[in-house]
Amino acid sequence: MTRRLAQVAKKVGVSEATVSRVLNGKPGVSEATRQAVLTALDVLGYERPTQLRGERGKLIGLVLPELSNPIFPAFAEVVGGALAQRGLTPVLCTQTPGGIQETDYVDLLLQQQVSGVVFAGGLYAQADAPHDHYRLLHARNLPVVLVNAPIPGLDFPCVSTDDAVGVEQAWRHLTSLGHERIGLALGPSDHVPSRRKLAAGQAVARAAGGPGLPPEHVVRGMYTMEGGHAAASRLLDAGVTGIVCASDVIALGAVRAARRRGLRVPQDVSVVGYDDSPLMTVTEPPLSTVRQPIDALGRTAVQLLTAQIDGREVVRDEILFEPELVVRGSTGPRAAR
C-alpha cells in the first residue's frame, strides 16, 4: 500500500496523504485532484477501491512510431503524467515492423471513442506518405495535436522543436572547434524534420561565405544505429571531420563507424546527436547533442489537446520551442593534418 501511495502521488504531483484521502473517500480534496488520482491508478495498473470503481477516465490516444529510440518513451512519460493530472487515461499505440500500423491504430482509437489523439512521430511527418486517416480525424472534429511536424492543409495544433536553431547551434559549435568539413546524417528525404535540418545546414554554410553544402556532405538513411553507421561511413569517405546527426541513435551509429575505421572520437572525428535521449551521458564518449525540450513539448501538447476537448479556441499555428546544445565528450578540436 505504501509503495502504491508513493507511485500514485508522484504521478499526479500531490502528497501521499492526498492520495490516501481519495482512496478512503475522505473529504477535503478537489474533484479535479480526485479524478487525477483515480486515473493514475488506472495508468499504473492498480485496481480502484471497490467503492470507487465505475467509469474510467476519458481515453486519449498517444501514437508513437517506436519505443526502441529512448526519446519516445521519455516523451510518453511526460504526456502520460500530464494527462493523469487532468483525469485522462492515455492509450499507448506503438507501431512495429509487420505489425499494427498507424492507420489501424486510428481505426481502433475511433472504435474506442477516444476524446483526442496526440501523434509524436508518424506518417504525418513524411511528406510523401498517405494522410487520409488524418483527414478522417479532422472531418470528425476529433481533438488532435501533432509533435514536430504539421500537415499542410489541416489546421491541427502542432508543437515542434526549432530544428533551424538546433542545427545552427551544433554547426557553430563545430566551427568554433576548427572544423571546416562538416556533414549531415539525416533521415529519409520526405521526412519533414530532416528537410528542415538540411535547409538550416545549407543556410549556415552559405552564411559562412560558401555556396552551401556539397552533395557528398549530406547523407540520408534510417533512424537506426545501422542507418547512422552507413551514413557516417559515406561522410567519412568524403573527408568530413564533424558530423551533425538527426538523432542520438544515428549519432551512436556514427561513433561506431568511426571506431571501426580506427578513428578516435573526438580526437579525429567530432559527432553531435539530436534529442538528448536518456543515457546519452553514459555512452563512451558521452554524446554532445541538441536537447529537445521534451517536458515543454509534452505538457504544451496536453494543454492544447485538453483545451480542444473543453471546446476552447487554441492556437492553430505551429508553436516552436528552442532547443539547447549540450556539449559533452564526443566533440573536440579538429586534429592537425
Side-chain angles (χ1 to χ4, degrees):
M1 172 65 77
T2 301
R3 180 171 178 268
R4 180 175 67 168
L5 288 176
Q7 287 186 318
V8 174
K10 181 179 179 182
K11 175 69 77 173
V12 180
V14 298
S15 68
E16 292 182 29
T18 297
V19 175
S20 179
R21 296 184 73 84
V22 172
L23 298 183
N24 290 292
K26 299 292 181 65
V29 181
S30 71
E31 180 60 23
T33 299
R34 178 179 175 277
Q35 288 298 326
V37 168
L38 295 178
T39 301
L41 285 173
D42 298 337
V43 172
L44 294 170
Y46 292 123
E47 287 288 341
R48 295 187 181 194
T50 304
Q51 72 274 18
L52 297 176
R53 292 177 187 171
E55 185 177 353
R56 285 176 174 250
K58 293 181 179 179
L59 301 179
I60 301 296
L62 175 56
V63 183
L64 306 175
E66 58 172 315
L67 291 178
S68 56
N69 184 333
I71 197 65
F72 291 116
F75 182 80
E77 183 176 3
V78 172
V79 171
L83 289 172
Q85 290 177 348
R86 290 165 172 78
L88 301 169
T89 303
V91 179
L92 182 61
C93 304
T94 306
Q95 299 175 59
T96 56
I100 299 178
Q101 298 302 301
E102 188 176 274
T103 52
D104 300 319
Y105 274 128
V106 167
D107 290 339
L108 177 62
L109 292 172
L110 288 174
Q111 292 173 17
Q112 293 296 318
Q113 297 183 332
V114 296
S115 298
V117 185
V118 176
F119 290 92
L123 294 178
Y124 70 91
Q126 298 172 234
D128 299 336
H131 290 163
D132 290 344
H133 53 297
Y134 301 113
R135 296 187 182 93
L136 173 62
L137 295 174
H138 191 268
R140 295 198 179 186
N141 294 317
L142 190 73
V144 170
V145 177
L146 308 176
V147 179
N148 276 340
I151 301 176
L154 298 180
D155 62 347
F156 292 134
C158 178
V159 295
S160 301
T161 299
D162 195 329
D163 291 312
V165 172
V167 169
E168 182 178 352
Q169 289 175 344
W171 200 279
R172 295 197 184 284
H173 170 59
L174 291 175
T175 57
S176 73
L177 295 170
H179 295 277
E180 298 175 352
R181 299 177 66 84
I182 300 172
L184 292 176
L186 303 174
S189 59
D190 71 332
H191 188 244
V192 174
S194 288
R195 287 184 173 182
R196 292 175 167 181
K197 291 178 176 69
L198 175 58
Q202 294 283 20
V204 176
R206 292 191 184 103
L213 285 170
E216 62 271 19
H217 285 193
V218 180
V219 180
R220 301 182 179 279
M222 302 303 295
Y223 275 85
T224 61
M225 283 189 63
E226 293 75 18
H229 187 131
S233 295
R234 291 174 56 187
L235 291 171
L236 293 171
D237 287 340
V240 304
T241 63
I243 303 176
V244 178
C245 302
S247 77
D248 290 340
V249 174
I250 291 176
L252 295 179
V255 171
R256 185 173 68 180
R259 284 182 169 161
R260 289 192 175 176
R261 291 183 173 225
L263 299 175
R264 300 166 299 166
V265 178
Q267 291 88 345
D268 300 312
V269 181
S270 286
V271 177
V272 181
Y274 201 101
D275 286 339
D276 196 26
S277 313
L279 305 182
M280 291 305 105
T281 59
V282 297
T283 58
E284 181 52 43
L287 189 67
S288 294
T289 185
V290 176
R291 175 182 293 161
Q292 290 206 63
I294 292 299
D295 190 75
L297 287 170
R299 291 188 176 279
T300 303
V302 171
Q303 289 173 5
L304 291 170
L305 191 75
T306 53
Q308 293 178 81
I309 292 172
D310 293 340
R312 291 179 278 128
E313 285 296 318
V314 298
V315 175
R316 297 289 173 171
D317 295 329
E318 185 177 17
I319 301 174
L320 294 177
F321 290 83
E322 188 163 316
E324 175 189 1
L325 177 67
V326 181
V327 178
R328 299 193 182 104
S330 66
T331 51
R334 181 177 67 88
R337 297 288 177 91

